[in-house]
Amino acid sequence: MSNRKFDLRNRYKRHRRVRRKIFGIVERPRLNVFRSSRHIYAQLINDELGETMASASSLNFADENKVKIASDVGNVIAEKAKQIGIKKVVFDRGGYKYHGRVKALAESARDGGLIF
């Protein structure tokens, strides 16, 4: 059995390592992903001003398959990005492995028209 405290420490360490290298600007905001055990959230963030430009979450979706819900959230965030005129983003996986729900969200955002 894994130790949850140790797993979180590793995720924070990975997240800091990733965040050192990426920075969102107005023309190319950061697409941040947060994944809890039940839901998944995505935000477009302008790090220059420290503001969230658009967001989407799985709170309003009612489905039993979490990967399908993550894919739907990716489509929603891509649509919101199009509405505010954003095509290119920097992907911030939040220290999570590029697998499962995070991968599904990223791929559906790409299919929705975002470039990263």
Side-chain angles (χ1 to χ4, degrees):
M1 184 185 298
S2 69
N3 185 354
R4 180 159 169 74
K5 189 174 184 180
F6 183 71
D7 293 342
L8 283 175
R9 238 184 265 147
N10 285 342
R11 185 182 82 79
Y12 291 142
K13 205 181 331 181
R14 280 193 306 269
H15 191 133
R16 281 194 309 267
R17 187 170 55 238
V18 169
R19 282 287 289 123
R20 237 181 271 142
K21 300 171 188 172
I22 62 175
F23 190 80
I25 58 175
V26 175
E27 297 83 24
R28 191 171 179 152
R30 176 167 54 101
L31 174 59
N32 182 39
V33 175
F34 176 74
R35 177 185 62 115
S36 71
S37 60
R38 194 175 282 182
H39 295 288
I40 191 159
Y41 307 85
Q43 293 180 320
L44 292 174
I45 302 171
N46 175 1
D47 288 317
E48 289 177 324
L49 299 176
E51 66 180 15
T52 300
M53 301 167 75
S55 65
S57 71
S58 63
L59 295 173
N60 299 330
F61 292 101
D63 195 356
E64 293 183 19
N65 188 350
K66 293 180 187 177
V67 176
K68 168 86 171 76
I69 291 172
S71 178
D72 294 341
V73 172
N75 287 330
V76 170
I77 197 71
E79 189 61 40
K80 287 185 177 184
K82 271 193 228 175
Q83 289 174 358
I84 58 176
I86 294 171
K87 294 181 182 175
K88 293 185 177 183
V89 296
V90 179
F91 187 65
D92 175 12
R93 58 189 172 87
Y96 303 106
K97 294 178 182 178
Y98 189 79
H99 178 74
R101 291 190 281 161
V102 175
K103 183 178 179 181
L105 189 145
E107 288 178 352
S108 66
R110 278 193 189 106
D111 292 342
L114 290 180
I115 300 168
F116 56 95

